[in-house]
Amino acid sequence: MKVEVELMDDGFFFNKNNTQCPLLNVTYIKEDGKAYGALSTIENIFNPIAEYVTIPEEVRLAVIEKYGSDLKQYYQENVTHE
């Protein structure tokens, strides 16, 4: 499966909440050649919350494999842990 990720500009809203990390535009092409796209938060890539998941688990794992080290810097810098 081919996976591409684009960081969106700051200030985008997602699920009626302003996220602390940039949004991701995730594009993926499945084995059958069909292309799909979805917005996701970096938080949902590394720590998915079921009600806000917008991409299949296999795509999420492919994003981590391909872009994880690049995205992790945004997640660690911007997420506060309670």
Side-chain angles (χ1 to χ4, degrees):
M1 171 182 354
K2 182 179 177 184
V3 175
E4 298 290 328
V5 168
E6 173 189 9
L7 287 172
M8 304 299 286
D9 293 332
D10 288 341
F12 275 88
F13 285 84
F14 187 69
N15 289 332
K16 300 180 185 175
N17 295 314
N18 191 7
T19 64
Q20 294 182 11
C21 298
L23 285 177
L24 301 177
N25 181 12
V26 180
T27 306
Y28 54 101
I29 301 172
K30 290 193 167 188
E31 305 292 325
D32 61 6
K34 292 182 182 178
Y36 301 87
L39 291 178
S40 181
T41 62
I42 293 174
E43 293 98 330
N44 254 355
I45 296 296
F46 291 108
N47 189 20
I49 298 170
E51 65 232 38
Y52 298 121
V53 170
T54 57
I55 58 176
E57 180 68 7
E58 65 182 299
V59 175
R60 185 183 78 80
L61 295 174
V63 168
I64 290 172
E65 182 178 324
K66 187 171 182 181
Y67 298 100
S69 33
D70 294 331
L71 296 176
K72 202 155 203 136
Q73 68 182 343
Y74 295 103
Y75 182 67
Q76 291 176 344
E77 289 173 2
N78 294 303
V79 172
T80 57
H81 301 283
E82 296 181 23

